[in-house]
């Protein structure tokens, strides 16, 4: 996981999502409709297609793009239709995070909190983290299962392509930014913007 900079809400967000959504929120016992899906493409574009939790590019057309409510709509109903509460997530990460509140918010994460063991491509806590941050980082890794076979294989494919000269650091920054940052941080590549 890496830090994600919040992006401005789209100009038509209020009309398409917030205003009709607030009418639902203000109705006692009213059902929340998935109006946030109206902005999924804009969320994908704003965050350049990179999942906030896995730090992997989500290809369009796969059906894997989803809108995560960082503060769960089941617990913070009033934020259900707020752009600032949305994180771009692949459907697997969104399902794993679910309504749990023990996952660190990518907007608040600092890059040094998570590291990558390059020999195994496992996500691990960064160096020199003190409690309770160390526990929160490990809980996020565990809750999201960032080291499952699928995610390790995805990171391995990007790493192998870079190591074999089939891709560039620039490509990694776009499609697997966590790996790119770790290659730079660990001194395996010089910054070639």
């Amino acid at each position: 996981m890496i830090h994600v900079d919040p992006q401005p809400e789209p100009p038509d967000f209020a009309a398409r999502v917030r205003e009709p959504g607030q009418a639902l929120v203000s109705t006692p016992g009213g059902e929340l409709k998935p109006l946030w899906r109206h902005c999924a493409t804009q969320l994908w574009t704003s965050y350049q297609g990179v999942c906030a939790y896995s730090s992997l590019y989500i290809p369009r057309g796969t059906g894997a793009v989803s809108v995560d409510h960082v503060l769960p709509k089941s617990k913070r109903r009033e934020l259900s239709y707020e752009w600032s509460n949305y994180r771009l997530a692949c459907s697997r990460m969104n399902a794993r995070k679910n309504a749990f509140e023990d996952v660190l918010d990518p907007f608040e994460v600092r890059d040094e909190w998570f590291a990558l063991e390059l020999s195994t491509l496992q996500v691990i806590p960064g160096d020199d983290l003190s409690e309770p941050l160390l526990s929160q980082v490990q809980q996020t890794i565990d809750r999201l299962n960032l080291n499952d076979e699928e995610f390790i294989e995805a990171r391995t494919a990007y790493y192998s392509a870079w190591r074999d000269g089939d891709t560039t650091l620039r490509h990694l920054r776009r499609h697997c930014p966590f790996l790119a940052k770790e290659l730079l941080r660990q001194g395996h590549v010089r910054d070639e913007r």
Side-chain angles (χ1 to χ4, degrees):
M1 248 176 119
I2 58 175
H3 174 74
V4 175
D5 288 323
Q7 297 301 305
E9 89 179 32
D12 63 346
F13 179 80
R16 293 182 71 207
V17 179
R18 181 180 296 116
E19 291 163 10
Q22 289 305 322
L24 298 170
V25 168
S26 63
T27 305
E31 178 185 344
L32 297 179
K33 294 184 180 170
L35 300 174
W36 46 86
R37 291 181 186 159
H38 295 312
C39 71
T41 300
Q42 291 169 313
L43 196 65
W44 184 91
T45 300
S46 293
Y47 292 97
Q48 300 174 2
V50 175
C51 173
Y53 300 104
S54 70
S55 297
L56 291 168
Y57 182 77
I58 308 167
R60 293 288 304 273
T62 62
V65 172
S66 67
V67 178
D68 173 62
H69 292 76
V70 71
L71 297 173
K73 56 189 175 293
S74 61
K75 298 175 183 176
R76 296 294 305 270
R77 185 178 170 91
E78 74 279 9
L79 298 176
S80 297
Y81 303 103
E82 291 299 326
W83 177 263
S84 63
N85 193 39
Y86 297 166
R87 305 296 177 267
L88 178 65
C90 65
S91 56
R92 179 170 288 173
M93 287 290 101
N94 199 349
R96 288 180 183 170
K97 182 182 163 292
N98 203 333
F100 294 106
E101 296 179 271
D102 56 359
V103 171
L104 290 167
D105 181 355
F107 287 4
E108 297 174 6
V109 163
R110 296 295 158 243
D111 290 339
E112 65 274 6
W113 292 1
F114 292 82
L116 194 60
E117 174 55 55
L118 290 179
S119 64
T120 62
L121 293 171
Q122 298 259 334
V123 179
I124 58 175
D127 294 333
D128 303 321
L129 299 179
S130 59
E131 289 297 339
L133 182 56
L134 176 61
S135 294
Q136 292 173 308
V137 167
Q138 188 61 57
Q139 180 62 43
T140 297
I141 293 168
D142 295 343
R143 171 72 64 206
L144 298 177
N145 198 4
L146 292 174
N147 292 320
D148 79 358
E149 186 176 330
E150 293 289 324
F151 287 114
I152 288 177
E153 286 182 13
R155 290 190 290 267
T156 299
Y158 283 114
Y159 183 60
S160 296
W162 172 80
R163 188 188 58 226
D164 296 343
D166 295 332
T167 195
T168 63
L169 182 63
R170 182 177 180 198
H171 181 81
L172 286 183
R173 281 188 167 142
R174 173 86 171 96
H175 290 86
C176 193
F178 180 50
L179 173 60
K181 283 184 181 263
E182 282 297 288
L183 287 170
L184 285 163
R185 184 186 68 82
Q186 294 181 35
H188 293 279
V189 65
R190 59 183 169 71
D191 195 353
E192 44 175 80
R193 298 211 178 252

